[in-house]
């Protein structure tokens, strides 16, 4: 069971909405829509993806990382390091 | 004709790849894949979307904005302002 | 003369404010202030630096790039490419 | 004692370097340096600030959050929520 299982349906709904935004972008490009309108839609899709990632990360900290930390030891350190690396990738992407 | 018409096929290919990444994310969530692997995939999709946006923006500056600027006047100022606002939205998203 | 000469004083004021924010961060670290409060201050400094960069970029597009584009030729293309590269660095940083 | 006390000197060195970069920016603006060179320096300062923030955050997760989580209860949940909010601010700034 993953840390986000309780909110799986909510995550899937969110991702399907992002998928719809990307298909909307394809349609806009295909119909030669104005560049600026396409860029506005890209920003919206980026923000939606980020919101999904932040939600998932919070659940990961609250479950997977918290469990490992409660047990302590090398596994706890590894989980914190792994989460920190994922955060760094998000901040930089 | 939009400023990006010459590279329309390339843009569509890129966006379809992003769409595939989002569907990959849905599959990962559906199969309870590990949070960190999902976050890595989100960062990749975000970067791909950004690369598309930056490409589009460059073409917009090189065509739509350049044309307006060559004519000068209020339209030129408006185009520069509009592009700057889109850049700000990208930087902040 | 740079494209931003007219608003030079405003830019300097803004940068001195950021410098003050960074010195504030040094003080917070030195006094062992709470990590989360430090991170909040980092986000504020980042946003202030970004606002400065976006302002400068808009002036650059409105003056340096616009002038090159009005003359046309290879110099125009080079200026648009150079600005696009700077935008990409900002979006990714 | 804050979670980052062990690496306090390293953090202060890093922040002083950022402060130097900001003063470098003030000098560049004062001397009417070329916009694009200034923007490159802004990206460097932003990345340096981010690196500091990510380092601090990792220590915060490894110490403050880990301790609270090991004790469990409402305090643990509050610490995870607080860290997640700080991460969201960083990702969005």
């Amino acid at each position: 069971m993953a840390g986000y299982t309780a909110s799986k349906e909510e995550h899937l709904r969110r991702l399907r909405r992002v998928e719809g935004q990307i298909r909307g972008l394809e349609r806009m490009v295909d119909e030669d829509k104005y560049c600026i309108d396409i860029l506005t839609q890209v920003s919206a899709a980026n923000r939606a993806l980020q919101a999904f990632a932040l939600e998932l990360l919070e659940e990961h900290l609250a479950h997977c990382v918290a469990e490992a930390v409660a047990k302590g030891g090398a596994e706890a350190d590894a989980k914190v390091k792994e989460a920190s690396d994922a955060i760094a990738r998000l901040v930089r992407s």
Side-chain angles (χ1 to χ4, degrees), chain A:
Chain A
M1 222 184 89
Y4 55 82
T5 303
S7 43
K8 193 164 149 170
E9 278 315 310
E10 173 55 21
H11 287 321
L12 285 173
R13 252 195 308 277
R14 228 187 243 264
L15 285 173
R16 275 184 220 116
R17 214 149 43 217
V18 177
E19 193 195 326
Q21 287 175 305
I22 306 298
R23 269 206 300 268
L25 282 167
E26 292 168 37
R27 217 159 28 234
M28 290 175 92
V29 167
D30 196 47
E31 297 171 356
D32 299 309
K33 285 286 185 286
Y34 186 48
C35 322
I36 296 292
D37 296 333
I38 298 180
L39 291 173
T40 302
Q41 180 73 358
V42 169
S43 295
N46 256 333
R47 268 196 311 275
L49 256 183
Q50 255 179 18
F52 162 71
L54 291 168
E55 197 70 45
L56 200 74
L57 185 64
E58 181 166 354
E59 292 169 343
H60 180 64
L61 292 176
H63 298 108
C64 315
V65 177
E67 265 172 51
V69 157
K71 288 185 200 156
E75 174 70 7
D77 295 347
K79 284 288 180 204
V80 167
K81 182 81 185 72
E82 186 190 55
S84 298
D85 290 348
I87 293 166
R89 281 194 299 273
L90 277 182
V91 168
R92 285 173 182 141
S93 77

